[in-house]
Amino acid sequence: MAHVVYVDDTDPRIQYSDGWLTSTAKDAFHGTMHGSAEHGLTLTFNFTGTRVGVVGGTGDVNKFGVSSQTYELDGEPSRIVLGDKSASPDTFFYNFTYYESPDLASGEHTLVLTTITVNIVPPHIFWLDYIWYTTGNAAPPSIASSSLPANSPAPTLSSTPAPRSTHALTTTSSLSTTARSSSTSAAPSITVAQFRWLRSSRTP
């Protein structure tokens, strides 16, 4: 049976380069997000399926700026996603689809995301929430973005670099998957200066 599989940002199948940090956010998928404020950080995700997508947070550009990424699928350049400077200046959105692949031949695939900051004035924080992929002929999920008031209770950022979970946080859903929306929440409450201080103060 075909399924859509959701893979949380802390799942060990997502391999991060040095430099990523984690944020707690109660309405994010499994309550966490990974953030990058640097150029050239990467994540690699291997999967067996027929399509893949990357979902994260966006908006609140007064605090986080705009982020851009490149996506490489099976060794071939796939897409460059440029940050949207017209995004909301003070409202954060979860469940934002940054990337969705075309239909793929069923089998093993590798997706590599690289953050880019060329010609972008800081800040430029990219937030990853989860990755999904399909097996068989499953349709991609219909994910609804949810806006979150900026003055809601805020999550906090951890200085722990890209932790690995001891077990996979994976949710499998059937073809009847419907849009998953957050209720009430807020953007990660951290300034760019705090983000950089946490990054620079990490123990090697």
Side-chain angles (χ1 to χ4, degrees), residues 10-197:
T10 61
D11 192 299
R13 288 175 293 178
I14 303 176
Q15 298 297 311
Y16 297 93
S17 65
D18 290 339
W20 292 81
L21 296 175
T22 58
S23 171
T24 57
K26 72 181 184 67
D27 286 302
F29 189 55
H30 286 297
T32 61
M33 302 180 80
H34 269 67
S36 165
E38 299 181 29
H39 177 78
L41 300 192
T42 64
L43 67 81
T44 302
F45 178 62
N46 297 305
F47 67 99
T48 301
T50 54
R51 184 176 288 195
V52 65
V54 175
V55 180
T58 189
D60 203 354
V61 297
N62 287 342
K63 180 185 293 184
F64 302 123
V66 295
S67 64
S68 300
Q69 317 88 47
T70 63
Y71 295 84
E72 181 181 284
L73 187 60
D74 296 334
E76 297 293 331
S78 181
R79 185 177 303 171
I80 298 176
V81 176
L82 299 178
D84 182 5
K85 294 182 180 180
S86 65
S88 174
D90 55 12
T91 302
F92 194 77
F93 293 83
Y94 285 87
N95 292 333
F96 179 83
T97 298
Y98 280 96
Y99 171 80
E100 181 177 335
S101 76
D103 290 332
L104 306 171
S106 181
E108 296 182 356
H109 301 282
T110 299
L111 176 68
V112 178
L113 177 157
T114 304
T115 59
I116 56 175
T117 59
V118 178
N119 297 325
I120 299 177
V121 178
H124 34 62
I125 298 177
F126 168 71
W127 293 107
L128 171 72
D129 194 359
Y130 60 92
I131 295 174
W132 60 262
Y133 67 95
T134 59
T135 64
N137 294 319
S142 175
I143 301 296
S145 295
S146 56
S147 62
L148 308 172
N151 59 356
S152 297
T156 57
L157 188 75
S158 167
S159 60
T160 305
R164 300 291 187 264
S165 62
T166 56
H167 60 284
L169 296 176
T170 304
T171 300
T172 303
S173 62
S174 67
L175 286 174
S176 61
T177 299
T178 57
R180 182 179 64 82
S181 301
S182 302
S183 53
T184 59
S185 178
S189 64
I190 183 167
T191 66
V192 174
Q194 289 171 322
F195 194 107
R196 289 173 176 164
W197 180 85

